[in-house]
Amino acid sequence: MRHIYKFLIFAALVTSITACRKAENLNVDYSTFNADHPETNTALDQWLKTNFLDAYNIDVVYRYNRYYHGNTANVTPNKLGDIQPTMQEVLNGFIAPYRKVAGETFSKKYIPKEFVLFGSYSYADGNDPGVAGTAAAGRRITLYGLNDYAPLPGGAFYFWDRQRIMHHEFGHILNQIIPIPTDFESISKGFYKQPYKDMPEETAHQNGFVTSYASGVYTEDYAETISWALINGQAWYDNWANTSSPAGKNRLIQKEQNVINYYNTLGISFKELQREVQNYMRNTLNLNESKFSYWLNRKIYKSMTVNLESAAYTKYGSSDAFGQVYKGVKTSINGMAGYGFSFKFLKFNFTSATTMNVEVNFSQGENTFLANYAFNMAIDQNTGEVKFTTGTPGGTDHPWVGNADLLRPSLQPLLDYLGNQVFIADWLPVTVDADNYMKYGGFYVKGSPSNYFYAPLTY
């Protein structure tokens, strides 16, 4: 009773003081205090209203409210200057790709109606690595860690991580509305372990998971598969699968197909969505994993075979400039008097991160022959520029010496084409369909994108 009593006395004193001051005319601008006042209508509020509430009926909650994280977590508020640049990239890298591929109706229906933002990650205790995001009831995504914001280009990782979290949590949102296919859990049945933190990354990789976090439970596995395939792209996913164990690779391929089928039931091409997200990652964030030059430098591809008579070139077209060189080589080899040669195709073998050889496949009657020409390959990781220079032959047998010397006059226009220009390594052709994006690659002449060659890539 003593404590209640003291409180009552204090309340009475406050009432008395307040009553004495009621008649005073206070000239105080309260808008300069408490930036978190819920009725404040700042320029930031207006921008969020225009770009989220009016456009998508999404309420962005950035003022600190303990209700949104409960009483068991430690969370700090946002720095106000970080909100708009972060949410602009949520628009660009998350909402815009869905709107373009899935359409306005889908986007307005399924994208959550509430985004809640916090400055720090959510920590339960000193040993907690921190929660980066949550999804609730198919209607809310909570995004933590905004105080890590840094502007581009230095903040590229920050924005990559925001996209990773957004695409992961939206995967949960979709799964809360349309359940995960029942056969997905069985793909890695027996390999899910908690706590996931005890699963080394490489062990998870070999077991067929995209991350250790994915190995904890199938629901997180699904969201992680969606997110990492989107944000890092098909080349990354293929390489991750190819460097797993045979069983792990099989599981990763099954999971990818399960996700593709799931999106198909929603009326969305996952591959189209992946390409749009990758365009953002490459053009805005300059993400290495989104570039052909990065993977070429990592030597994940063995070769690419150029045969302008194949169906791919009928479908996607070819460069007139390169086509003239290619057809000239073919005509010259086929016309070598007294040999009866028949030119078949060119194969570009990527023998290391710095070497490449052009392999000419040709025949004489029933017999097939090869002629090889070595090149050094200097790749500029930042610009994608590639310079080919004459290299050291890889052997002394007929393909490298006798056949190569015999065909060299016919091949010289191609050798000059490669050696006398600077190229840009890129995902080509630009007309390739989404199913084959990052499965074809090639080179165009710097400053002349209409002068190029490309082919399907082999691992």
Side-chain angles (χ1 to χ4, degrees):
M1 294 298 296
R2 183 174 298 175
H3 293 292
I4 295 175
Y5 177 73
K6 286 183 177 179
F7 176 78
L8 291 174
I9 293 175
F10 175 75
L13 287 172
V14 170
T15 303
S16 174
I17 293 170
T18 303
C20 291
R21 295 188 176 183
K22 267 189 176 179
E24 294 183 23
N25 183 17
L26 298 179
N27 184 20
V28 178
D29 180 7
Y30 283 100
S31 68
T32 62
F33 298 93
N34 189 12
D36 285 346
H37 191 285
E39 295 180 2
T40 301
N41 187 24
T42 65
L44 173 59
D45 292 306
Q46 295 171 16
W47 183 85
L48 291 171
K49 179 178 182 297
T50 298
N51 290 281
F52 287 88
L53 189 61
D54 293 345
Y56 298 97
N57 196 28
I58 297 172
D59 184 25
V60 179
V61 180
Y62 67 89
R63 294 182 173 89
Y64 183 82
N65 188 330
R66 194 170 184 84
Y67 163 78
Y68 287 106
H69 67 79
N71 58 8
T72 61
N74 296 304
V75 180
T76 61
N78 298 288
K79 298 173 184 176
L80 295 182
D82 300 344
I83 305 299
Q84 184 169 334
T86 297
M87 296 311 293
Q88 180 63 62
E89 296 313 311
V90 168
L91 283 170
N92 295 342
F94 168 61
I95 293 179
Y98 269 100
R99 181 163 184 165
K100 181 174 181 179
V101 175
E104 184 175 350
T105 300
F106 175 93
S107 301
K108 290 184 175 181
K109 179 178 180 180
Y110 288 107
I111 291 177
K113 299 310 174 190
E114 190 173 52
F115 290 166
V116 179
L117 313 178
F118 286 107
S120 71
Y121 298 96
S122 177
Y123 300 97
D125 54 49
N127 297 319
D128 188 352
V131 175
T134 61
R139 281 294 176 262
R140 178 194 300 158
I141 286 180
T142 302
L143 189 62
Y144 297 93
L146 269 70
N147 289 350
D148 285 351
Y149 164 77
L152 292 170
F157 175 78
Y158 169 82
F159 287 111
W160 173 87
D161 204 35
R162 295 319 100 185
Q163 302 304 334
R164 176 186 67 82
I165 298 165
M166 290 301 302
H167 286 288
H168 175 103
E169 299 303 337
F170 188 55
H172 283 315
I173 292 291
L174 290 175
N175 297 159
Q176 289 164 2
I177 300 170
I178 302 98
I180 295 172
T182 55
D183 58 341
F184 181 84
E185 185 177 3
S186 64
I187 296 173
S188 285
K189 187 176 182 179
F191 287 90
Y192 293 110
K193 306 291 182 183
Q194 289 286 13
Y196 74 88
K197 291 178 288 185
D198 293 343
M199 176 75 72
E201 192 73 26
E202 186 54 25
T203 301
H205 178 199
Q206 296 304 315
N207 285 342
F209 298 101
V210 292
T211 61
S212 293
Y213 188 58
S215 69
V217 62
Y218 80 97
T219 52
E220 298 300 341
D221 190 10
Y222 209 79
E224 285 285 88
T225 301
I226 291 171
S227 178
W228 284 78
L230 289 176
I231 63 168
N232 277 358
Q234 192 62 48
W236 176 89
Y237 197 93
D238 287 345
N239 182 60
W240 191 257
N242 289 334
T243 53
S244 182
S245 66
K249 177 180 179 179
N250 184 51
R251 293 185 194 109
L252 286 162
I253 291 172
Q254 288 185 68
K255 291 175 185 179
E256 179 190 22
Q257 191 58 52
N258 195 290
V259 167
I260 291 171
N261 293 341
Y262 177 83
Y263 272 74
N264 284 340
T265 64
L266 300 175
I268 302 172
S269 167
F270 187 79
K271 293 296 186 180
E272 288 281 5
L273 181 64
Q274 184 183 56
R275 177 161 62 177
E276 288 304 315
V277 173
Q278 282 304 293
N279 285 339
Y280 167 83
M281 290 293 177
R282 182 176 65 171
N283 298 334
T284 301
L285 303 189
N286 197 31
L287 181 71
N288 282 331
E289 285 82 355
S290 299
K291 303 174 186 176
F292 176 46
S293 58
Y294 172 80
W295 295 110
L296 192 63
N297 197 47
R298 298 269 310 244
K299 201 190 172 303
I300 72 166
Y301 302 115
K302 292 181 179 178
S303 64
M304 51 184 273
T305 299
V306 179
N307 181 355
L308 295 189
E309 283 72 45
S310 70
Y313 298 93
T314 301
K315 182 176 182 179
Y316 300 128
S318 61
S319 158
D320 290 340
F322 177 77
Q324 290 177 7
V325 174
Y326 180 94
K327 292 171 185 176
V329 168
K330 177 181 179 178
T331 300
S332 180
I333 291 175
N334 291 350
M336 292 176 65
Y339 287 99
F341 289 153
S342 178
F343 171 86
K344 299 300 182 183
F345 54 81
L346 300 174
K347 188 177 181 181
F348 293 79
N349 296 306
F350 305 115
T351 49
S352 77
T354 58
T355 59
M356 180 272 290
N357 73 275
V358 178
E359 179 182 291
V360 183
N361 187 293
F362 63 104
S363 64
Q364 185 184 53
E366 298 294 324
N367 300 311
T368 298
F369 301 96
L370 303 177
N372 288 327
Y373 303 88
F375 283 89
N376 299 314
M377 182 174 64
I379 304 171
D380 187 315
Q381 187 65 63
N382 294 322
T383 64
E385 292 183 5
V386 179
K387 178 64 178 175
F388 299 111
T389 55
T390 301
T392 302
T396 57
D397 53 1
H398 284 296
W400 289 102
V401 180
N403 295 351
D405 290 342
L406 180 63
L407 266 59
R408 187 175 296 277
S410 297
L411 263 292
Q412 197 60 50
L414 174 66
L415 304 180
D416 292 341
Y417 175 86
L418 293 173
N420 294 341
Q421 304 177 102
V422 176
F423 291 87
I424 305 295
D426 205 353
W427 305 114
L428 296 174
V430 294
T431 55
V432 73
D433 56 69
D435 287 342
N436 286 310
Y437 183 66
M438 289 189 166
K439 292 185 180 294
Y440 280 62
F443 305 85
Y444 67 84
V445 175
K446 181 181 178 181
S448 184
S450 62
N451 186 354
Y452 62 90
F453 64 98
Y454 71 92
L457 298 165
T458 58
Y459 292 94

